[in-house]
Amino acid sequence: MALEITDANFDELVLKSDKPVLVDFWAAWCGPCRMVGPIVDEIHTEYEGKAIVGKVDVDANQEFAAKYGVRNIPTVLIFKNGEVVDKQVGVAPKNVYTGKIDAAI
């Protein structure tokens, strides 16, 4: 399972990470988010030690979703050195997400 990222731990897990970070902004009621969820969980396992992979439930944690302009979900942001370096809005195949992480490593 991907890490649960919240407004409280976002700074520590994402912005201060020395590794690239994939953050999936999602909600339980969102059908397309449920399609992306298992892909993100797989990526979490495959990239262990190389990248941080986590999910932000936008219903419970709105601060950083608002800060980064997440208006549609699922939205996946790739962070490197605390900055957004790539973005994917909507459902995409797994290789799209892994390609974005690979580019940031």
Side-chain angles (χ1 to χ4, degrees):
M1 285 289 292
L3 295 173
E4 183 180 339
I5 299 174
T6 64
D7 287 346
N9 67 16
F10 195 95
D11 196 50
E12 192 64 37
L13 291 177
V14 178
L15 301 180
K16 293 181 179 173
S17 175
D18 59 351
K19 297 182 177 91
V21 185
L22 180 149
V23 181
D24 173 21
F25 290 86
W26 71 287
W29 50 265
C30 164
C33 298
R34 290 196 296 273
M35 295 167 62
V36 172
I39 296 170
V40 171
D41 289 338
E42 279 180 37
I43 295 169
H44 170 72
T45 303
E46 290 173 20
Y47 280 78
E48 196 164 345
K50 293 189 281 186
I52 306 295
V53 178
K55 300 177 180 185
V56 174
D57 180 343
V58 297
D59 285 338
N61 303 279
Q62 299 176 355
E63 178 184 345
F64 288 95
K67 179 178 178 179
Y68 292 105
V70 174
R71 287 176 176 62
N72 299 303
I73 52 174
T75 292
V76 172
L77 300 180
I78 307 293
F79 290 81
K80 185 173 184 176
N81 300 322
E83 299 290 323
V84 176
V85 294
D86 212 336
K87 177 179 188 172
Q88 175 64 46
V89 178
V91 179
K94 180 178 171 183
N95 67 319
V96 170
Y97 302 113
T98 57
K100 292 176 183 299
I101 295 175
D102 290 341
I105 291 177

